[in-house]
Amino acid sequence: MSLYQLPTGTYETRAAFAFKGGSFREKRRFAATATLLRHPKGDLLIDAGFGSHVAAHIRSLPRMERAPYQVNGTASEQLDAHGYDRGGLRGVLLTHSHWDHVSGLDGLQVPVWINEGELRYANEHRGGKVFRAVSAGHKIQQYEFDGPAYLGFSSSFDVYGDGSVVVVPARGHTTGSVIVFVALPTGRRYAFVGDLTWQIDGIRRRAERPLLMRKLADTDPELVRDDLLRVIALADVMHIVPAHDVTAYEGIPRLSN
């Protein structure tokens, strides 16, 4: 079992918009990275990153949400470039359905793993517009949180049934957003927290999003705050990976031949 990062690109914003106390003068690159999880029972991607139609996906956003961006190869292109056998890929497990997490589905004809709450959000909310376009024709692999409480979260879904990959609900950014906990055989543990916080500063500084961004970006800021505190309490025992922090992926190797 192993993890690999597939960095598909970045976009730019100000630190002042990313976390409370951030400087307006400081620019931050927001990662759009897919993570390949290799497991003996079949592999998964955690999120899909930018796809081949990312320019159109960004143009579909409200003007105030567009930002300068740079692209690398898509997750699909990177898998092929490194000779990855697509037959081993069981699907894409989404932390949530916003455009910068799903754009790359347009080149990945594999099932989309998503829970009922997030699927409803994706089908009904304006934030699911890109998801509705890129997921057309994909099989939807819906899962339920039918497992016990896990690390302070009320319920869980054990993906492989062996405790190595456990998904918990973190409803607040979207109504079905999740955190994906990964425990490698080496003893290394990760928490892929999606957009619970956009930058690792949210963990290290105990800093939530600025008030305006909480109102604009989160469906329930109070739930986000509660779950952020739960994750902060875990920071000494595992590697926390906010989806959009470039530095948080350091230590996760890139895929090689």
Side-chain angles (χ1 to χ4, degrees):
M1 184 178 166
S2 52
L3 284 174
Y4 301 92
Q5 59 162 305
L6 305 175
T8 66
T10 59
Y11 58 96
E12 189 177 278
T13 192
R14 302 281 179 173
F17 299 138
F19 56 92
K20 192 174 181 179
S23 170
F24 186 80
R25 293 189 297 273
E26 182 184 357
K27 294 180 180 179
R28 290 289 179 99
R29 289 186 304 135
F30 269 37
T33 297
T35 304
L36 177 64
L37 169 66
R38 306 206 69 172
H39 191 280
K41 293 183 179 179
D43 303 343
L44 287 171
L45 284 172
I46 302 173
D47 289 334
F50 286 166
S52 57
H53 297 98
V54 63
H57 297 159
I58 290 177
R59 285 196 302 271
S60 74
L61 301 173
R63 187 170 296 276
M64 66 174 293
E65 295 181 17
R66 301 174 194 173
Y69 67 97
Q70 295 181 323
V71 296
N72 301 325
T74 67
S76 178
E77 291 167 344
Q78 292 182 55
L79 292 175
D80 288 346
H82 292 97
Y84 175 79
D85 180 4
R86 297 282 194 102
L89 187 60
R90 292 177 61 179
V92 179
L93 173 60
L94 299 178
T95 59
H96 63 290
S97 57
H98 283 160
W99 75 273
D100 42 358
H101 298 256
V102 305
S103 173
L105 289 176
D106 61 9
L108 296 163
Q109 293 305 314
V110 294
V112 178
W113 289 51
I114 192 169
N115 63 78
E116 180 183 5
E118 189 62 16
L119 185 59
R120 188 183 311 114
Y121 174 93
N123 286 331
E124 298 175 358
H125 196 276
R126 70 174 183 85
K129 181 178 180 180
V130 171
F131 173 86
R132 293 191 289 274
V134 297
S135 65
H138 286 67
K139 178 183 177 182
I140 299 298
Q141 182 73 42
Q142 193 168 313
Y143 62 86
E144 299 178 359
F145 297 107
D146 52 6
Y150 186 84
L151 296 178
F153 292 86
S154 61
S155 57
S156 62
F157 167 59
D158 188 336
V159 175
Y160 296 101
D162 59 5
S164 63
V165 182
V166 177
V167 185
V168 301
R171 307 177 184 100
H173 182 56
T174 64
T175 54
S177 50
V178 303
I179 295 170
V180 182
F181 290 101
V182 177
L184 296 181
T186 60
R188 187 75 164 159
R189 301 182 73 184
Y190 295 84
F192 292 90
V193 301
D195 286 8
L196 185 67
T197 176
W198 285 325
Q199 299 280 279
I200 198 65
D201 304 76
I203 304 297
R204 294 174 179 165
R205 301 188 187 193
R206 301 174 65 91
E208 58 190 343
R209 278 183 266 278
L211 177 60
L212 176 61
M213 302 313 296
R214 295 200 300 273
K215 290 182 177 294
L216 293 174
D218 298 330
T219 59
D220 191 327
E222 292 295 328
L223 287 179
V224 172
R225 182 180 298 117
D226 290 346
D227 288 340
L228 182 61
L229 290 174
R230 290 186 181 93
V231 170
I232 288 170
L234 300 171
D236 289 338
V237 296
M238 62 181 63
H239 185 133
I240 310 299
V241 186
H244 297 306
D245 193 303
V246 173
T247 66
Y249 292 91
E250 293 175 358
I252 301 176
R254 299 195 183 198
L255 195 61
S256 59
N257 296 94

